[in-house]
């Protein structure tokens, strides 16, 4: 069972499940063969893209119509390796306590890393940070 973190917009997010493996599901989304639930179809402003975050978690998000974020700096060098690790675990659905335990950090340090990530990516929420990082290619190219 694959869990989809579906982010249709800044204020629309949902956890969904699908029986297909993550890689197969990513291919289906990126080829336009997967559609969101009918209640959420109108929330997607652009075409959908999917990135595997792990073997059981897929991030699905809508690309902007022009598929570019004007004025967005390249991700390389923008986030530290630790900030990237914290953001990646957050995107996989881990809580701050779980991230802290996994990386050997305090809970407060995790929150400080997330605040720095939000500031560097110029966003206001952790969900927006995950979406912006995906749009900027943090987890590689979609399949």
């Amino acid at each position: 069972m694959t869990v989809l973190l579906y982010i249709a917009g800044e204020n629309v997010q949902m956890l969904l499940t699908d029986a297909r493996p993550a890689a197969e599901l990513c291919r289906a989304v990126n080829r336009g063969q997967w559609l969101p639930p009918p209640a959420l179809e109108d929330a997607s402003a652009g075409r959908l893209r999917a990135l595997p975050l792990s073997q059981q978690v897929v991030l699905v998000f809508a690309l902007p119509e022009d598929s570019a974020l004007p004025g967005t700096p390249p991700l390389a060098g923008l986030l530290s390796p630790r900030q990237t690790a914290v953001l990646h675990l957050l995107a996989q659905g881990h809580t701050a306590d779980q991230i802290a335990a996994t990386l050997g950090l305090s809970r407060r340090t995790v929150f400080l890393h997330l605040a720095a990530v939000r500031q560097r990516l110029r966003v206001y929420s952790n969900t927006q940070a995950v979406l912006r990082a995906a749009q900027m290619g943090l987890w590689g190219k979609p399949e």
Side-chain angles (χ1 to χ4, degrees):
M1 183 69 61
T2 300
V3 175
L4 288 88
L5 173 57
Y6 177 63
I7 304 175
E10 293 181 13
N11 298 319
V12 181
Q13 55 198 351
M14 183 175 230
L15 284 177
L16 306 168
T17 58
D18 195 288
R20 292 176 277 190
E24 181 182 332
L25 190 57
C26 284
R27 283 189 294 276
V29 171
N30 294 333
R31 291 177 182 159
Q33 298 167 343
W34 180 89
L35 296 175
L40 296 175
E41 282 183 5
D42 292 339
S44 298
R47 34 174 214 188
L48 296 176
R49 301 312 276 160
L51 294 169
L53 299 178
S54 72
Q55 291 181 352
Q56 297 172 332
V57 180
V58 172
L59 174 66
V60 178
F61 59 96
L63 285 176
E65 288 299 326
D66 63 359
S67 297
L69 296 173
T72 303
L75 197 57
L78 189 62
L79 300 179
S80 73
R82 184 64 82 178
Q83 291 166 343
T84 302
V86 168
L87 186 59
H88 192 265
L89 289 170
L90 178 74
Q92 291 178 352
H94 294 277
T95 65
D97 288 331
Q98 292 169 330
I99 294 169
T102 300
L103 298 177
L105 305 171
S106 73
R107 187 171 185 249
R108 172 115 174 101
T109 301
V110 170
F111 287 126
L112 290 173
H113 281 308
L114 289 172
V117 166
R118 288 190 305 270
Q119 181 181 12
R120 289 185 179 180
L121 296 180
R122 299 184 197 143
V123 297
Y124 298 102
S125 73
N126 290 339
T127 301
Q128 289 174 330
V130 169
L131 179 59
R132 177 70 51 90
Q135 290 171 331
M136 294 172 72
L138 177 63
W139 292 291
K141 299 274 186 198
E143 294 183 13

